[in-house]
Amino acid sequence: MQPSSPRSGKLGRPALLSRDVIVRAAQRILDEEGYENLSMRRLARELSSTPMALYHYVRDKDQLLLLLLKVKASKFPRPPLPEDPRQRLIASAQLLYDILADCPFLAEILASDDLLAVSALWVIENIVDASIECGCAPEQAVDIYRVIWYYITGELLVRLASGRQRASLDRPTHREKAFAALRPDSHPRLFALSARWSELTSRDSHHQGLEVIVNGLLNHQAP
Amino acid sequence: MQPSSPRSGKLGRPALLSRDVIVRAAQRILDEEGYENLSMRRLARELSSTPMALYHYVRDKDQLLLLLLKVKASKFPRPPLPEDPRQRLIASAQLLYDILADCPFLAEILASDDLLAVSALWVIENIVDASIECGCAPEQAVDIYRVIWYYITGELLVRLASGRQRASLDRPTHREKAFAALRPDSHPRLFALSARWSELTSRDSHHQGLEVIVNGLLNHQAP
DNA sequence: ACCTGAACACCGTTCAAGT
DNA sequence: ACCTGAACACCGTTCAAGT
């Protein structure tokens, strides 16, 4: 963080860039042009600089993305959580999802580290703690965290991908083609649901799903 | 599929490439060098051809990847499923996971289509059908499928990413650094678990997680 | 210390041309 | 119909040099 702070005196000319400026510019590109347009080269252009200048402030692109998440997580409001451990477990998991839902493109990077790199550790602490207070052994609490984590990551990934796809709405998707070819004798259930499939699968039922999963987990681990 | 079959007679010289040959070469690269080395250019080199020749047999790279999955899914043994619907639901979901576990790199492409593009539709039919036989309304059955789908996708993604990372085992991961900085007063639970975290999170508990989720879902939707 | 220019080793895809 | 070569518009990153 040092290189960004303008020190007293005029020891040489001031730096043109700083980590802060770089991260902010990256966030701007992300907001305005989407993840797939965020490249080191594009970022340098945004800053009227060169790609290599960035590497003075950031080790590589992954670190830049993690910095973005760090900023986002630290700005995220930290709401009061319910007292009741079961409710708190659900609320923490929901919170984790909410933070990530703001930057779903990070799913891939995050996945590699169980999210533990970032300043959202307190959320995970809450999930594990609430599970233990619900009567789980520590090992079971970690299992619960993992299931929740997989579920959240999966939903984010699917959402991200279907968002990408909606952009290219030229021809019918693979799904639409597969559904058109459905025969009632071989796939009766899917056939019956085919007309409503899109509607049914695009409903936002994240919170409900989370609740059901958590209840299922707790009933199993700590009956 | 037509261009690959060697027709009778000798109407012009035989084609050098075919969809079959291309897909098989792609699979070879995948097996031997991993997903990140599978590019259209690399594939063309493998076939002693040019990148553009491939585009005569495949619309784009995504289609090629879907073809790979298609082949894999069609070769996959189709085991007998239990009669009992609850058991069948679990078994179908496990099967879906097993098929995909063989090609986790496809998670990103698959996510965009709810997997419905491929010849594994019968698995999904089974999941939906078993849910309905367990007493769910069709809408609830679709919800159950979605939760399972998110969970599977998430686990695949995480596994894929942590596999990539293990390759570059040079310096400590972000997770390790975050754990090293843990203080017992701010994160008591994680602090207590930190020594065993890697071990606990790398256990293969997929099947157990799936079972717990399914039971939770069914108890909620069809008590 | 901070920044630049040129280069390396890649991508997916298009376009115009060859046989 | 099947294939090629050259090109377009990109990537992340390294290296040697400038001030």
Side-chain angles (χ1 to χ4, degrees):
Chain A
M1 295 297 192
Q2 300 313 74
S4 72
S5 61
R7 279 165 300 161
S8 61
K10 30 187 109 169
L11 320 167
R13 73 187 166 217
L16 296 178
L17 293 174
S18 75
R19 240 190 202 189
D20 246 50
V21 170
I22 291 173
V23 170
R24 267 203 295 270
Q27 187 61 59
R28 205 160 54 235
I29 294 174
L30 232 37
D31 292 338
E32 286 165 16
E33 305 174 35
Y35 177 56
E36 46 273 19
N37 288 314
L38 178 57
S39 71
M40 298 303 270
R41 295 174 121 103
R42 172 72 189 86
L43 184 52
R45 220 163 59 228
E46 180 81 6
L47 292 162
S48 311
S49 182
T50 61
M52 271 320 295
L54 306 177
Y55 285 87
H56 243 263
Y57 299 89
V58 171
R59 186 162 35 75
D60 54 21
K61 196 185 176 183
D62 271 14
Q63 202 197 45
L64 173 68
L65 295 175
L66 282 175
L67 280 175
L68 279 166
L69 177 64
K70 213 170 186 169
V71 169
K72 194 137 248 164
S74 68
K75 277 190 196 157
F76 210 87
R78 228 171 125 150
L81 294 173
E83 279 288 314
D84 175 62
R86 186 176 285 237
Q87 291 308 315
R88 188 154 58 88
L89 179 51
I90 293 173
S92 314
Q94 179 69 41
L95 202 56
L96 186 54
Y97 179 79
D98 290 339
I99 294 175
L100 293 177
D102 242 17
C103 33
F105 55 87
L106 288 174
E108 215 173 327
I109 297 106
L110 292 175
S112 65
D113 247 352
D114 294 344
L115 178 73
L116 285 172
V118 301
S119 42
L121 266 185
W122 61 275
V123 188
I124 299 167
E125 171 76 16
N126 259 293
I127 292 177
V128 173
D129 182 61
S131 301
I132 291 177
E133 280 197 33
C134 282
C136 292
E139 298 80 13
Q140 295 173 324
V142 176
D143 283 343
I144 288 182
Y145 161 68
R146 284 176 70 199
V147 171
I148 291 173
W149 174 239
Y150 291 154
Y151 175 64
I152 289 178
T153 320
E155 174 143 16
L156 287 174
L157 182 75
V158 172
R159 276 199 174 334
L160 174 64
S162 65
R164 255 206 289 271
Q165 185 172 37
R166 208 161 296 136
S168 69
L169 34 72
D170 33 2
R171 32 173 185 263
T173 63
H174 297 286
R175 169 160 57 74
E176 283 159 352
K177 274 190 278 182
F179 262 107
L182 273 184
R183 302 268 319 285
D185 48 336
S186 60
H187 301 87
R189 300 297 193 188
L190 295 182
F191 184 81
L193 285 164
S194 58
R196 298 160 60 210
W197 189 265
S198 294
E199 177 213 337
L200 287 178
T201 54
S202 63
R203 291 186 300 172
D204 182 4
S205 61
H206 177 78
H207 184 78
Q208 198 201 328
L210 206 51
E211 213 169 317
V212 169
I213 284 184
V214 166
N215 286 330
L217 287 166
L218 288 182
N219 289 340
H220 183 262
Q221 310 276 29
Chain B
M1 295 296 193
Q2 300 312 72
S4 74
S5 61
R7 280 165 301 161
S8 62
K10 29 187 111 168
L11 320 168
R13 68 180 171 223
L16 296 177
L17 293 174
S18 74
R19 240 189 201 189
D20 247 50
V21 170
I22 291 173
V23 170
R24 267 201 295 269
Q27 187 62 58
R28 204 162 53 234
I29 294 174
L30 232 36
D31 293 338
E32 286 166 16
E33 304 176 35
Y35 176 57
E36 44 273 18
N37 288 316
L38 176 58
S39 71
M40 298 304 270
R41 295 173 121 103
R42 172 74 189 84
L43 184 52
R45 220 164 59 227
E46 180 82 6
L47 292 162
S48 311
S49 181
T50 60
M52 272 318 296
L54 307 177
Y55 285 88
H56 244 262
Y57 298 89
V58 171
R59 187 164 32 77
D60 54 20
K61 195 184 177 183
D62 271 14
Q63 204 197 42
L64 173 68
L65 295 175
L66 282 174
L67 281 175
L68 279 166
L69 177 63
K70 213 171 187 167
V71 170
K72 194 136 247 164
S74 68
K75 277 191 198 154
F76 210 87
R78 228 171 125 148
L81 295 174
E83 278 289 313
D84 174 61
R86 187 176 284 239
Q87 291 308 315
R88 189 153 56 89
L89 179 50
I90 293 173
S92 314
Q94 180 69 42
L95 203 55
L96 185 55
Y97 178 79
D98 290 339
I99 293 175
L100 293 177
D102 241 19
C103 34
F105 54 88
L106 289 174
E108 216 174 326
I109 296 105
L110 291 175
S112 66
D113 248 352
D114 294 344
L115 177 74
L116 286 172
V118 302
S119 42
L121 265 185
W122 62 275
V123 189
I124 299 167
E125 172 75 17
N126 259 294
I127 293 177
V128 172
D129 182 61
S131 300
I132 292 178
E133 280 197 36
C134 283
C136 291
E139 297 79 14
Q140 294 173 325
V142 175
D143 283 343
I144 286 182
Y145 161 68
R146 284 174 69 199
V147 170
I148 291 174
W149 174 240
Y150 291 153
Y151 175 64
I152 289 177
T153 319
E155 173 142 16
L156 287 173
L157 182 75
V158 172
R159 277 197 173 337
L160 174 64
S162 65
R164 254 207 289 270
Q165 186 172 34
R166 206 161 298 136
S168 68
L169 35 71
D170 35 2
R171 28 166 191 268
T173 63
H174 297 286
R175 168 161 57 73
E176 285 158 352
K177 272 190 279 180
F179 262 107
L182 272 183
R183 302 268 318 286
D185 48 337
S186 60
H187 301 88
R189 300 296 192 188
L190 294 182
F191 183 80
L193 284 164
S194 58
R196 298 161 61 210
W197 189 266
S198 294
E199 177 212 337
L200 288 177
T201 54
S202 64
R203 291 186 301 171
D204 182 3
S205 62
H206 177 78
H207 183 78
Q208 198 201 329
L210 206 51
E211 212 169 317
V212 169
I213 284 185
V214 166
N215 286 330
L217 287 167
L218 289 182
N219 289 340
H220 184 261
Q221 308 277 27

